Structures are given as structure tokens and as C-alpha cells.
Amino acid sequence: MTEFSFACTGVRADRYAAGPTLVFRLRVTAADNAHVHAVALRCQIRIEPAHRTYEPAEADGLTDLFGERSRWGSSLQPVQFAQVALMVPSFTGETDVDLVVPCTYDMDVAATRYLTALADGEVPLLMLFSGTAFTGTGGFRVEPVPWDREAAFRMPVATWREMVEQHFPGCGWIRLPRDTMDALLAYRSRHALSSWEATLASLLDESRATDVPATDPFRALTGTTGRTDT
């Protein structure tokens, strides 16, 4: 069987992607200068949070993921970041390819919450590989890529922040229940507001003007009945 090894040599934010996307540069090596027709590769990427140190402000931002710092000896477990597939084209001996990883800015996803909490430094990543290789010089042989193939990589936090700023400059993200979104949309339509930012600004202005109790979040949207207009 052909002996494969993998290394990650760099990462960049794809500024031309439709959504937040990181591009990792992979080096794939086949031992003994073997000829490889193609590799159907699968890659699982995990964050290894125990492999770096944290400033006090970063630790505060990670409390909801890992608990109090005194518990981190047992709670600082790996976090799933991505699972992607890649078709590596024909090569002999060694080749470099791009591994494209779509990302999310959903703060309900553990990996996003972790990355957002980091101020600087590097993100310790572990890439786990598997798949199927098509090899041979006088024909095709089908070989598995062993499950124990892996590569460690330290991604700069600045690269993650650059990617987020490209698509969501100066913005945050809030996930809301469907009924709240429907109420917001009805309010925006009634007032002919041009954006969600203008919608929330108008609600805040009304709240300050009428002193709407914080315990009744729907009153500013729907009036005293708690129902949207029909």
C-alpha cells in the first residue's frame, strides 16, 4: 500500500467567496515518489482548546463553553470545526492543494463562540484524514487512506477575524425565534423601514420614549395586545 502523509502549510480568508470561507493549503505526500491518479479525501477539522493559553478576558468569554477556569482540566475538550471533502488531482510524489472550508457566524455553534472569544494568538487545529486513493503506474489500484493520518496546524486568530470582517464588517449576529422574527418583520413593514438596523433603532427609540417594561419584549412590537397586525 502507498504510504500517505499530510501537512497544512498555511491558511487565508477567501475574499471572493459568497460567504465566510477559509482556504487551507494542504501538502499531500506519497512515499517513494509513487504515482497517484487521484485521491477522494475526507477531512475532519477539530479545535484543540487545551493546546494554548488564555488571557483573563478570553477565559471569561469561554465560560459558557467550558465552565469556570478551575474546571478546565477536565472540561477543555476538542470542539468540532468542520468536515469537508476534497478531490486531489493526479500527482507523483507530492502536491499542494487548497482545502476550502465554508464557515458560519452563527453564535449558537460552539466553534464560532470559541473563535469569537479569542483576542489574539493562534487557534490549535487538528486535521484528521481518510478517504480512497487511486494509484499505480501500469493501471489502477484502489487503496484506503488510513484513518490515522492527521496534521496539526496553528491558525492565526487574525485570519479568522479578517474573514468575518470581510462579510460582516463591524456587525454581530443574533438568532431569534420565528414568532419574534415575524413580529419584527410586521413592525418593519408597518413603518416602511429600509433595514433591520433602522428597525431596531426605531424600537429602541420608542422604548425610551414610552418606557416599555423589559419584562414584556413584545409590547414595543405589537402594542398592548401582544399580537402582530393582520
Side-chain angles (χ1 to χ4, degrees):
M1 289 181 58
T2 305
E3 183 75 14
F4 288 96
S5 60
F6 302 87
C8 183
T9 61
V11 63
R12 60 181 171 85
D14 187 350
R15 64 177 56 252
Y16 301 109
T21 303
L22 292 172
V23 181
F24 292 87
R25 192 67 173 168
L26 289 185
R27 179 161 295 159
V28 184
T29 303
D32 300 324
N33 207 38
H35 179 69
V36 179
H37 299 287
V39 182
L41 193 64
R42 294 185 296 273
C43 179
Q44 178 187 158
I45 305 177
R46 297 192 318 206
I47 298 170
E48 302 278 294
H51 293 174
R52 63 158 283 169
T53 59
Y54 300 91
E55 296 297 327
E58 294 174 326
D60 291 342
L62 294 172
T63 300
D64 64 332
L65 282 179
F66 304 120
E68 296 298 327
R69 198 160 190 164
S70 59
R71 299 177 48 215
W72 283 13
S74 59
S75 66
L76 220 59
Q77 298 299 315
V79 176
Q80 180 76 6
F81 181 61
Q83 292 196 58
V84 290
L86 172 67
M87 182 60 72
V88 180
S90 176
F91 68 95
T92 299
E94 186 175 274
T95 188
D96 289 345
V97 292
D98 285 339
L99 180 69
V100 179
V101 179
C103 301
T104 178
Y105 195 39
D106 186 344
M107 292 298 291
D108 284 346
V109 176
T112 304
R113 294 210 307 275
Y114 174 85
L115 291 163
T116 302
L118 302 184
D120 204 354
E122 297 174 327
V123 183
L125 300 177
L126 183 65
M127 298 180 168
L128 307 172
F129 299 97
S130 62
T132 303
F134 303 89
T135 63
T137 54
F140 280 92
R141 290 199 310 271
V142 180
E143 305 179 17
V145 176
W147 284 88
D148 63 353
R149 304 295 92 171
E150 60 183 43
F153 180 68
R154 300 187 74 86
M155 178 179 71
V157 173
T159 303
W160 166 265
R161 293 192 175 278
E162 176 189 352
M163 178 199 70
V164 171
E165 284 298 310
Q166 286 173 2
H167 295 275
F168 307 103
C171 296
W173 192 94
I174 300 176
R175 182 176 179 177
L176 297 173
R178 174 58 61 186
D179 56 350
T180 305
M181 283 299 302
D182 289 344
L184 279 169
L185 182 59
Y187 179 91
R188 178 177 173 176
S189 297
R190 286 198 307 272
H191 295 270
L193 296 167
S194 60
S195 66
W196 289 116
E197 182 180 0
T199 301
L200 293 176
S202 176
L203 281 167
L204 290 172
D205 290 342
E206 287 188 13
S207 177
R208 284 190 288 264
T210 60
D211 194 26
V212 176
T215 55
D216 192 359
F218 281 96
R219 281 188 57 192
L221 295 177
T222 62
T224 58
T225 63
R227 302 181 60 180
T228 59
D229 287 353
T230 57

